[in-house]
Amino acid sequence: MNFLFSAILVLGAIALVAAVILYACSKKFAVHEDPRLPLVNELLPGANCGGCGFAGCSGMADALVKGADKGSIEGLNCPVGGADVMKNVADALGMTAAEGKPKVAVVRCSGSCEIRPRTAIYDGLPTCAAQHATCAGETACGYGCLGCGDCTNVCLFDAIKINPDTMLPEVDEEKCTACGACVKACPRNIIELRPKGPKNRRVFVGCVSRDKGAAATRACKAACIGCGKCTKECKFEAITVSQNVAYIDAEKCRLCRKCADVCPTNVIHTVNFPPRKIKEEEA
């Protein structure tokens, strides 16, 4: 009987000491979570797409709270939620959200199967990354789309598809959230996030080839040849030619479309514009 009582007493003493140690440790090493974190995390869309630059929405929420503590959340943006979500987050943190222009992914390659003939056959891992790493692709253009669909595989919103006729990716601007996943997945860097523009109208060069004129047109009939006619026509200094390819600055472009009229290879894309009125002389 005395043995049983002693055992209970010893075990009780051990339990009491362990409880005191655990309590002390919990106080010393306690991690205090900011009460704003779950609130901000709840306001974010929960897509965890990585378009904001963080691994997921929880990382974005943490950055927003820390930014609010420093007095600014400038540069932090949720491409999926857009301006409405960022406004709600800013209100919850007592901050002012900077209004960003809506963006959409654009494909800067015009080399469809008809105008970019196949010169080789690739028989390997069916991904753009693998094909780009092992060879120039199945055509003579070493800069154009490879058509394996790495961009479609990473899109969480079903906003980009490979056209089976042209073998080029096509973006559904209604579904695109400008998360940037397709941009990161493309090994050729032909996908770019650009402002949607007023009335969703955009002008951009659908080519990234840096080959010189003759070599570029041999590989693809719709290649930019770097002739500079577009730059001479543009009155707003929105177009520059570098490494044999033209680029249009969306911030400077006034959507006049005069550059598209003078482009000899018709590689300047004009999106969502109404048909031009035909002049009487032309008619």
Side-chain angles (χ1 to χ4, degrees):
M1 189 69 178
N2 290 335
F3 175 78
L4 182 61
F5 180 76
S6 299
I8 294 173
L9 187 63
V10 170
L11 290 175
I14 293 174
L16 181 61
V17 172
V20 171
I21 293 173
L22 289 174
Y23 178 78
C25 290
S26 67
K27 290 298 182 181
K28 183 175 180 60
F29 301 107
V31 177
H32 299 283
E33 184 181 77
D34 193 306
R36 295 171 296 175
L37 270 176
L39 175 61
V40 173
N41 204 18
E42 185 69 23
L43 291 172
L44 294 174
N48 294 316
C49 60
C52 58
F54 299 93
C57 290
S58 59
M60 175 67 165
D62 184 58
L64 285 165
V65 171
K66 289 179 179 177
D69 290 339
K70 295 178 181 178
S72 174
I73 57 173
E74 186 178 353
L76 297 173
N77 180 55
C78 174
V80 178
D84 292 338
V85 167
M86 290 308 298
K87 184 179 183 304
N88 293 335
V89 170
D91 290 343
L93 294 173
M95 306 294 293
T96 301
E99 292 189 11
K101 294 180 180 179
K103 292 187 176 183
V104 66
V106 298
V107 179
R108 296 189 58 209
C109 179
S110 308
S112 63
C113 299
E114 296 178 354
I115 59 177
R116 188 162 53 122
R118 177 184 289 185
T119 58
I121 297 177
Y122 172 75
D123 185 17
L125 191 65
T127 68
C128 298
Q131 191 171 162
H132 176 68
T134 55
C135 64
E138 295 187 329
T139 69
C141 179
Y143 302 93
C145 178
L146 294 164
C148 295
D150 287 19
C151 51
T152 66
N153 295 334
V154 298
C155 182
L156 301 177
F157 309 98
D158 197 33
I160 186 167
K161 296 290 185 183
I162 298 292
N163 185 312
D165 296 325
T166 64
M167 293 307 293
L168 291 175
E170 295 179 351
V171 178
D172 185 338
E173 62 182 57
E174 297 299 323
K175 295 180 179 180
C176 180
T177 63
C179 69
C182 56
V183 177
K184 296 175 184 177
C186 180
R188 294 280 175 92
N189 299 315
I190 67 165
I191 304 178
E192 178 189 4
L193 294 182
R194 291 180 69 88
K196 281 189 173 182
K199 297 183 180 179
N200 289 338
R201 294 173 183 173
R202 302 177 291 281
V203 179
F204 62 94
V205 179
C207 181
V208 296
S209 173
R210 295 193 292 272
D211 288 336
K212 292 185 177 180
T217 51
R218 278 197 300 269
C220 177
K221 295 178 182 177
C224 176
I225 58 176
C227 63
K229 288 185 177 181
C230 51
T231 61
K232 295 176 183 177
E233 190 67 25
C234 182
K235 307 301 181 184
F236 309 104
E237 299 182 349
I239 309 177
T240 54
V241 176
S242 176
Q243 294 182 308
N244 304 312
V245 62
Y247 181 80
I248 299 176
D249 187 336
E251 298 298 327
K252 296 180 180 180
C253 180
R254 296 295 179 266
L255 306 178
C256 67
R257 294 184 285 173
K258 291 182 179 179
C259 55
D261 294 337
V262 299
C263 180
T265 57
N266 297 316
V267 75
I268 298 181
H269 294 200
T270 58
V271 183
N272 294 330
F273 285 88
R276 289 182 182 271
K277 294 181 179 179
I278 302 176
K279 296 180 181 179
E280 291 184 5
E281 311 85 71
E282 295 176 352

